[in-house]
Amino acid sequence: MGKTRYELNKELAQMLKGGVIMDVTTPEQARIAEDAGACAVMALERIPADIRAAGGVSRMSDPAMIRGIQEAVSIPVMAKCRIGHFVEAQILEAIEIDYIDESEVLTPADDVHHIDKTKFKVPFVCGARDLGEALRRIAEGASMIRTKGEPGTGDIVQAVRHMRAMNADIRRVASLGEDELYEDAKRLQVPLDLLRYVHEHGRLPVVNFAAGGVATPADAALMMQLGAEGVFVGSGIFKSGDPARRAAAIVKAVTNYTDARMIAELSSGLGEAMVGINENEIALLMAERGK
Amino acid sequence: MNVGILALQGAFAEHGAVLDRLGAAHFEIRQRRDLKRPMDALILPGGESTVMGKLLRELDLFDPLAEQIRKGLPVFGTCAGLILLAREVEGGDPCFGCMDISVRRNAYGRQLGSFYAREDFSGLGKVPMTFIRAPTIKSVGPGARALASVDGQIVAARQGRMLVTAFHPELNEDTSVHEYFLGMVRK
């Protein structure tokens, strides 16, 4: 009797709950994030806003750069690989990354298949816009889910849409009769056992974070009040006027996400937020990648 | 009995679920005003000790909690909670620093080093132990005593009414370690 690697990986996500995971591109940013109270950092060469601006093919970061960040901080370090690029994932496992994000932020390497994440010892987090996507990723071996949102925009609308869609799906599945689950599994294209779990527990079988477009303490608290168990902040911090202060404010807003008076204090005099772009101003919808 | 659970970050809800099963009342501590409630014991959960240490100070929770622990409030720290209580933290600063133990953070390395074991816990027999990027206790000073070891590393200790585990009893079905703690509180 024991515990599977998969269970231990789901449990690491449990330890991250109530926390903020921040995108960083250098060891110095990683230290700023850790000092500001990040519960983990996401190491990547370019933050989503810059990936969006640069265009072209976006790939896994240089392992040497990721190693530099691993050495700079004591908190867990995550890194992104392209959807379906299992060799990038193997490389990240080889450098003992704490969590791999199979991410739509990078250019997909496979437009049909995601990585078979059950073949890996390190944990994976994947983006999802609704319950069907979430359960498909979990079936492939993801041990943590996040909303896709729309990365690099500073626009929260898509993350809200995805979290609400997920919650609505979960409530609906919970209300189904047991004999109705078979048809629903077929319709959602998900395994029956995972759908049963959602039906019985009224929640995903793994931790669910918000991501994609969080730029302010209020955005972070909004996602927490909508049911997120923690928040990823990408471009929102290091594209803002005062990253250290904004990062610390977002961390506190996630801990005390229902205390409007405290969030008012935290939001005061934070300097410029990232400029942001609206979803109808952008040519590339990253959330459309990897269904 | 009412148990306060530090709920700044991490797996605090899991401790609440265990206490529910044991019929012990509990409440979350997220800010100073939460300390107005009467508290018979405190749980410091797993999560990131750097995050909790920082938020304890910035949310003005550090002084009142340190004071209560010093006055004998029973406290149970798991994983990150253990680090918060230790007098000495290798390569880092102690937080409450009230327990006579020296700890090594991330002693088993990164997530690939996380593991599960069933080992003896003093007076409880074999207990399931889940280690997630866990610390170990390098040494136990004269004031404290070791309660469990895995592969020669100390993973649980007690000093007076302070209890710490490097593993996560809140992640398993077995409630014996929490019962042990509630027993300490009742004495």
Side-chain angles (χ1 to χ4, degrees), chain A residues 171-219:
Chain A
R171 282 192 298 268
R172 189 186 55 76
V173 169
S175 72
L176 290 178
E178 277 188 36
D179 58 347
E180 293 171 320
L181 294 175
Y182 303 95
E183 178 59 25
D184 215 49
K186 203 161 71 182
R187 196 181 60 78
L188 289 174
Q189 301 177 50
V190 300
L192 184 60
D193 61 323
L194 291 177
L195 199 65
R196 275 218 180 94
Y197 182 96
V198 175
H199 174 68
E200 280 166 24
H201 296 86
R203 56 159 294 138
L204 289 180
V206 303
V207 165
N208 184 23
F209 269 47
V214 175
T216 67
D219 289 346

Side-chain angles (χ1 to χ4, degrees), chain B residues 1 8 17 19 34 36 48 62 81 86 93 97 143 145 151 157 161 165 175 177 187:
Chain B
M1 190 199 304
L8 301 178
L19 294 182
D34 297 328
K36 286 183 188 146
E48 282 304 318
F62 180 83
D93 298 321
R145 79 187 156 96
D151 295 330
R161 301 177 98 187
T165 61
T175 55
V177 179
K187 262 178 207 155

Side-chain angles (χ1 to χ4, degrees), chain A residues 12-25:
Chain A
L12 174 58
Q14 285 175 259
M15 295 305 140
L16 300 173
K17 283 190 300 179
V20 181
I21 300 169
M22 302 181 192
D23 279 1
V24 297
T25 59

Side-chain angles (χ1 to χ4, degrees), chain A residues 199-254:
Chain A
H199 174 68
E200 280 166 24
H201 296 86
R203 56 159 294 138
L204 289 180
V206 303
V207 165
N208 184 23
F209 269 47
V214 175
T216 67
D219 289 346
L222 172 68
M223 296 313 299
M224 293 297 288
Q225 288 198 28
L226 284 172
E229 297 182 277
V231 174
F232 284 85
V233 188
S235 318
I237 289 173
F238 290 100
K239 278 283 165 193
S240 73
D242 187 346
R245 232 177 119 208
R246 182 167 294 266
I250 291 175
V251 168
K252 284 196 211 109
V254 166

Side-chain angles (χ1 to χ4, degrees), chain B residues 82 85-88 96-103 137-146 154 157-160 162 164:
Chain B
L82 175 157
L85 290 171
R87 176 159 301 157
E88 203 179 295
F96 291 118
C98 53
M99 195 166 169
D100 202 3
I101 55 173
S102 165
V103 306
I137 301 172
K138 284 193 324 192
S139 62
V140 171
R145 79 187 156 96
I154 302 169
R158 176 176 177 179
Q159 176 177 348
M162 294 184 278
V164 290

Side-chain angles (χ1 to χ4, degrees), chain B residues 70-138:
Chain B
R70 201 172 47 76
K71 286 184 174 163
L73 177 74
V75 56
F76 178 20
T78 59
C79 195
L82 175 157
I83 296 167
L84 296 179
L85 290 171
R87 176 159 301 157
E88 203 179 295
V89 180
E90 192 180 89
D93 298 321
C95 182
F96 291 118
C98 53
M99 195 166 169
D100 202 3
I101 55 173
S102 165
V103 306
R104 176 177 294 145
R105 294 185 62 207
N106 301 334
Y108 300 96
R110 301 182 182 282
Q111 173 61 6
L112 282 174
S114 293
F115 67 101
Y116 170 87
R118 278 181 72 85
E119 292 292 342
D120 278 320
F121 188 103
S122 178
L124 299 179
K126 295 269 186 211
V127 165
M129 302 180 181
T130 300
F131 295 86
I132 307 286
R133 284 174 49 95
T136 56
I137 301 172
K138 284 193 324 192

